[in-house]
Amino acid sequence: MAASGTDVSCQHTITLQDFTHFAVGPALFIIFILSLLEKRRNAKRCRCFGDRPGLLVPVNLLDGDEDRFAYAAAFGSTATSCLILFGGDYIPDNSPMWSQVFLAMMAVTEMGIDYYPFFACLAKKNSFVWSLIGLAYSILWFLVNLAHVFECVDASDWVFTGQPVVIQLPVLACLLYLVITFLIRVIVAILSTLRTMTESYTHNTDATFLIKDKLQAPHQLMKYHQAKHVTELLKGKHSSLPPILTSADCGSGLWNVLNVRQDPTFRYSPRITVTVTVAMLCLYEFGLLSFLTIEKALGSAKASLQNTTVSSSMATVFGPGMYNQMKLLLHVGQMSWYAAFGVSSVVIVNYIIRIFVSYKVQLKRLMRGDHSFIPKHCSVLPRSKIVAHSLMYSGSQIAYILWGYYVMILSIFTTSMLLAYLFILPLLGFVSSLLLEPFWTIIPTVLVSYTVYYLQVLVSKKALLQNEHFCNSTTNKVRRVLALDNRRIFHNVSYFLFFYHILLGLYTCLVRIGKGILLGVVFLGRIDRSGLVKGFEHWDTGYLSFVSFLQVELAHTHPVLVVFCQLLMNGVRDRRMARFSLSQDGLTGSPYKTFGDVELLSIESSYRVRTRWLKAYTLIRNPALRQSQVPSHEDWQLQHLKAQ
C-alpha cells in the first residue's frame, strides 16, 4: 500500500489492508457486547430485556470537551486508513468502473466499524469493563501496526533504513497514547470500585440516601469558559472580554489567538480539534511519502544516466547534445521539485493554522451577534440543509487540504519548469534562445500597459481632480475630494482611452483569468473562505459546510444559552430536593399527595404530570396562547377542550 509504505520487495505476514478486513468481525462483536451493556434512554417504548440493548454514542463532537486529546489520538490513529481512502488503494485491480463508487462506500463503512470500539470505549470514562475492552482492542491494533512496520524496516527498496517507522510514527504514537489512556482508566476504575466497596461497609446507603444523591447530581451542561464568558458580559463596560479580531488582525496576533490562556472565555470544540489533528497527520504521511517516492525516482534516473553503457549508447544514437540535455532536464526537475515541495508544505501548514484561527474569530463574532460575514444565501438555507452540510465539514476539510497540497505542488513544479526553460536557461545560454520569443512578445505589452496606467494616475492627480480635501470622520484621514476639474481635458482623454482599452482588454482579460486560477489553486485547501464570486457562495460546497458547521456550533454551544439552560436545570433540581425533603419529614403543605419511601421515577413522574396539567390549564384559560404553541404528539388536543 502506498499509504502505509508497503515495499513490493518485502512480503508481509499480514498487511494492514488485510488486517482491516479481519478486524471487522472483532469490532462488530465488541459493538454488540457494548450495546448490551448500554441502557436505552427512552425506556417507555420497550421495557423488554432490562431496557437493553441501547444505542452507543461513540463521540460527542458538538459540545463535549472532555478528553479531547484522547479523542484526537483516536482520530489520529485513522490517518493511514484515511490516506488509503484518498489514494484509492481499496479498489481491487480490474474492477469495473461502475462498481468503484460502491466499493468506496463499503471501504468507508468498514473503516468506521474498525475504529468504532475505540470511540465507544472512550465515551465511558469510569467503567471498568469498557476500559478493559478498549485496552485489549488498542493493544491489538498497536501490536499489529508495530509488527507491520518493523517486519520490513531494512528492505532494499527504502530510501533509508527505518523509513516505514518514520512514516508510521504519528499513528504508532496515537495508538500508544490510547493504550496508556485505557490502562490508566482500568487502574482508576479498580481503585474506585475498591473505595466504593469500603465505603459501603462504613456508611448506611439506604434507598433514601441513593435517591437524594441522584437528585443532587443533575446533568452538567455549563463549562468553565462559558460561565466565564457570561460573567464578563454581565460586567458591562467593565468587562475584560478580549476584542473581536478580524481577518486582517490574525497575522499580527496569531500566537495570541492560538494561545488558549490568553482567552479563558473560549475553548476550541472537539470537532475542529480532531479535524486539524487528522489533517496534520495525513499531510505528514502524504508529504513524506511523496517526497521519498519522487526522490527515489530521480535518484534512479540519475543513476541510469551515469551508467557508462546507457550514456554511451544514448550519445551514439541521439548525439552528445541530447545526453547533456537529459542531464540538464533531470537537474532542473529536481530543483523544481524541491522548490514546489518546500513552498507547498510551508503554505499548507500555515493554512491549517489559519483555519484553526478563522474558526475562533468567526465563531466569536457570531456569539456577539455579528452575522455580516455570512452570505445571505448561506444563512437562509433550510435548517435540514444546514445540519446536513455541517456533517460534511470534517471530512471535506481534510480532503480539500490534501487535494490543495497536491494541486499546489503540481502547479509550482510546472511553473518552475516553464520559468526555467522559457526565461532563465535561455538567458544563461544552456538552451536555445528561440525559447525567449514568447517572453519578448509579452514583455512590451506588459510595459506599455503599466506605463499607460501610471500615466493615467499621474494625469488624474495633476490635471483632472480639484485640489480640495476633507477629513473622513470614520478613519480620521484626510482625503481628496472626488470632483473633476478641467473637464475638456477629461473628455479628450476618455475619448482616446476608449479605443485603447479595447485593445488592452485582451491582455487584462488574460491577466484576470490567470489571477483567478492562481487564487483558486493557492486557496483550494481553505474552505473557511469562498472561492467563488459574491452571490454564488452557496455553490461552494466546502465553504457552505464550514458556514453551516459554525451555525450548528453557535446554536448548541452559545455561552448565554448554555448558562441559561444550566440555571433552569439547577432550579428544577432545587425544587425537587425541597419537595423530597418535605415528603420525607411529613411536613409538606402541598394539596397533592406525597409519599414517604418513594422511588426517583415516581417523583419525576409526579412532577411531569403536575407540569403538564399546569400547561393544559394555562392554555385552556388563555386561548390566545394556543396560536403560538408548537404542536407535539404528546400534547393534548386542546381545541376539543373548553374552559368551564
Side-chain angles (χ1 to χ4, degrees):
M1 293 177 297
S4 58
T6 300
D7 181 20
V8 295
S9 66
C10 177
Q11 298 297 327
H12 291 275
T13 305
I14 179 173
T15 64
L16 287 181
Q17 196 163 359
D18 293 335
F19 177 73
T20 55
H21 301 327
F22 165 78
V24 173
L28 288 175
F29 179 74
I30 291 175
I31 293 172
F32 176 71
I33 296 298
L34 296 181
S35 64
L36 293 178
L37 298 175
E38 181 74 9
K39 286 188 176 182
R40 291 189 292 273
R41 294 289 181 88
N42 191 355
K44 296 180 180 179
R45 297 180 180 178
C46 180
R47 292 185 175 274
C48 56
F49 304 110
D51 301 335
R52 306 175 193 273
L55 181 63
L56 300 177
V57 179
V59 56
N60 181 6
L61 294 178
L62 185 62
D63 55 359
D65 60 349
E66 296 182 357
D67 298 324
R68 290 185 300 169
F69 291 106
Y71 282 115
F75 276 103
S77 64
T78 68
T80 301
S81 299
C82 292
L83 212 56
I84 292 175
L85 293 177
F86 180 76
D89 293 345
Y90 54 86
I91 300 177
D93 297 334
N94 301 323
S95 60
M97 293 294 296
W98 60 267
S99 65
Q100 293 186 3
V101 63
F102 301 103
L103 293 174
M105 294 298 101
M106 291 176 60
V108 171
T109 305
E110 181 186 62
M111 176 181 170
I113 294 174
D114 286 337
Y115 292 97
Y116 195 95
F118 287 128
F119 302 97
C121 294
L122 283 174
K124 294 290 184 179
K125 186 175 182 179
N126 299 321
S127 175
F128 171 76
V129 177
W130 296 60
S131 300
L132 187 62
I133 294 175
L135 176 62
Y137 196 69
S138 59
I139 289 176
L140 174 64
W141 273 83
F142 177 72
L143 293 179
V144 170
N145 279 266
L146 197 65
H148 180 272
V149 167
F150 282 97
E151 191 173 8
C152 297
V153 70
D154 55 351
S156 58
D157 283 359
W158 297 139
V159 177
F160 59 90
T161 303
Q163 174 179 327
V165 178
V166 177
I167 295 175
Q168 290 288 100
L169 187 60
V171 175
L172 292 175
C174 292
L175 290 172
L176 181 61
Y177 185 87
L178 289 177
V179 171
I180 296 175
T181 300
F182 283 122
L183 181 60
I184 293 175
R185 288 188 176 188
V186 168
I187 296 174
V188 171
I190 294 175
L191 296 178
S192 178
T193 303
L194 293 176
R195 184 171 60 252
T196 304
M197 294 175 61
T198 304
E199 292 177 353
S200 64
Y201 288 106
T202 56
H203 298 283
N204 182 21
T205 56
D206 56 359
T208 303
F209 176 79
L210 294 176
I211 296 174
K212 189 174 182 180
D213 184 63
K214 291 183 179 180
L215 290 173
Q216 288 178 339
H219 180 60
Q220 187 69 21
L221 294 176
M222 182 177 61
K223 309 298 188 301
Y224 170 77
H225 65 278
Q226 295 168 338
K228 184 69 175 177
H229 180 93
V230 176
T231 302
E232 295 298 329
L233 282 179
L234 295 176
K235 292 181 181 179
K237 62 180 181 180
H238 303 290
S239 173
S240 60
L241 281 174
I244 300 178
L245 297 177
T246 60
S247 299
D249 302 327
C250 290
S252 58
L254 183 60
W255 170 247
N256 293 330
V257 177
L258 288 176
N259 193 1
V260 181
R261 297 180 180 178
Q262 296 290 336
D263 187 4
T265 64
F266 182 84
R267 197 170 184 180
Y268 291 99
S269 71
R271 172 167 290 187
I272 192 67
T273 304
V274 300
T275 301
V276 171
T277 301
V278 177
M280 291 293 288
L281 295 183
C282 289
L283 187 66
Y284 169 82
E285 288 195 16
F286 180 74
L288 192 57
L289 279 170
S290 301
F291 180 81
L292 294 176
T293 303
I294 300 298
E295 186 69 16
K296 179 182 175 181
L298 291 174
S300 301
K302 281 189 173 182
S304 299
L305 285 179
Q306 292 176 357
N307 192 340
T308 307
T309 305
V310 175
S311 60
S312 60
S313 59
M314 183 177 293
T316 303
V317 177
F318 300 103
M322 179 59 69
Y323 173 73
N324 294 330
Q325 288 299 323
M326 289 297 296
K327 291 179 61 177
L328 180 63
L329 177 63
L330 282 177
H331 181 72
V332 173
Q334 188 176 24
M335 294 298 104
S336 300
W337 162 247
Y338 289 156
F341 178 80
V343 173
S344 300
S345 300
V346 172
V347 170
I348 206 69
V349 170
N350 178 60
Y351 282 174
I352 294 177
I353 297 176
R354 288 189 174 273
I355 289 171
F356 208 50
V357 172
S358 179
Y359 163 79
K360 177 179 181 179
V361 172
Q362 297 190 24
L363 187 59
K364 289 183 73 68
R365 291 178 64 182
L366 289 176
M367 288 180 179
R368 302 191 188 184
D370 182 10
H371 297 253
S372 58
F373 63 93
I374 297 182
K376 180 181 179 181
H377 296 286
C378 298
S379 59
V380 298
L381 286 176
R383 294 297 182 256
S384 58
K385 289 187 177 181
I386 291 179
V387 174
H389 282 288
S390 70
L391 296 174
M392 299 166 53
Y393 170 68
S394 295
S396 298
Q397 181 65 84
I398 296 170
Y400 274 71
I401 286 176
L402 293 178
W403 272 112
Y405 184 51
Y406 177 78
V407 174
M408 191 181 302
I409 289 177
L410 186 61
S411 302
I412 295 178
F413 177 79
T414 305
T415 304
S416 301
M417 292 291 292
L418 291 176
L419 184 63
Y421 271 92
L422 296 180
F423 182 69
I424 299 177
L425 294 179
L427 288 178
L428 297 178
F430 290 105
V431 297
S432 175
S433 60
L434 294 177
L435 295 175
L436 281 174
E437 290 297 332
F439 175 77
W440 296 124
T441 304
I442 295 175
I443 196 64
T445 306
V446 176
L447 292 177
V448 170
S449 174
Y450 279 99
T451 301
V452 172
Y453 170 74
Y454 286 108
L455 185 61
Q456 288 177 159
V457 174
L458 182 62
V459 171
S460 300
K461 181 179 180 180
K462 298 297 183 181
L464 299 181
L465 282 176
Q466 297 181 13
N467 193 19
E468 301 293 339
H469 298 78
F470 73 99
C471 181
N472 193 332
S473 59
T474 304
T475 59
N476 293 326
K477 292 182 179 180
V478 178
R479 301 187 62 183
R480 201 167 184 176
V481 176
L482 186 59
L484 289 175
D485 196 7
N486 300 321
R487 293 201 173 193
R488 292 187 176 184
I489 299 178
F490 174 78
H491 295 323
N492 280 275
V493 171
S494 62
Y495 171 77
F496 284 101
L497 290 180
F498 176 84
F499 302 103
Y500 168 76
H501 282 289
I502 293 177
L503 177 63
L504 193 62
L506 176 62
Y507 163 73
T508 56
C509 180
L510 294 176
V511 171
R512 183 182 184 185
I513 294 174
K515 290 180 179 179
I517 295 175
L518 176 64
L519 294 178
V521 169
V522 171
F523 291 100
L524 179 61
R526 294 196 60 177
I527 62 175
D528 58 316
R529 57 174 63 191
S530 178
L532 303 180
V533 296
K534 186 177 181 180
F536 295 90
E537 295 93 345
H538 59 289
W539 286 14
D540 190 344
T541 307
Y543 177 71
L544 192 58
S545 67
F546 177 75
V547 172
S548 301
F549 162 63
L550 289 180
Q551 294 183 75
V552 173
E553 288 265 322
L554 177 71
H556 293 83
T557 61
H558 196 292
V560 177
L561 173 65
V562 174
V563 171
F564 175 72
C565 293
Q566 186 66 56
L567 292 176
L568 292 179
M569 293 178 64
N570 291 342
V572 172
R573 186 268 316 270
D574 294 340
R575 288 192 296 271
R576 287 183 178 180
M577 284 299 303
R579 183 174 175 82
F580 181 78
S581 299
L582 291 175
S583 66
Q584 291 299 310
D585 298 336
L587 301 176
T588 179
S590 172
Y592 301 99
K593 184 178 180 180
T594 60
F595 303 90
D597 295 332
V598 294
E599 297 201 4
L600 182 59
L601 183 60
S602 302
I603 297 175
E604 294 180 348
S605 300
S606 63
Y607 271 98
R608 190 179 301 112
V609 171
R610 180 174 180 271
T611 303
R612 289 179 177 177
W613 164 249
L614 292 176
K615 175 185 176 182
Y617 184 80
T618 304
L619 292 176
I620 292 172
R621 302 289 296 180
N622 299 272
L625 294 178
R626 303 178 195 173
Q627 300 177 359
S628 59
Q629 180 194 11
V630 178
S632 174
H633 68 280
E634 295 182 353
D635 291 338
W636 291 356
Q637 302 295 329
L638 296 177
Q639 61 269 24
H640 300 298
L641 300 178
K642 295 182 179 180
Q644 301 296 328

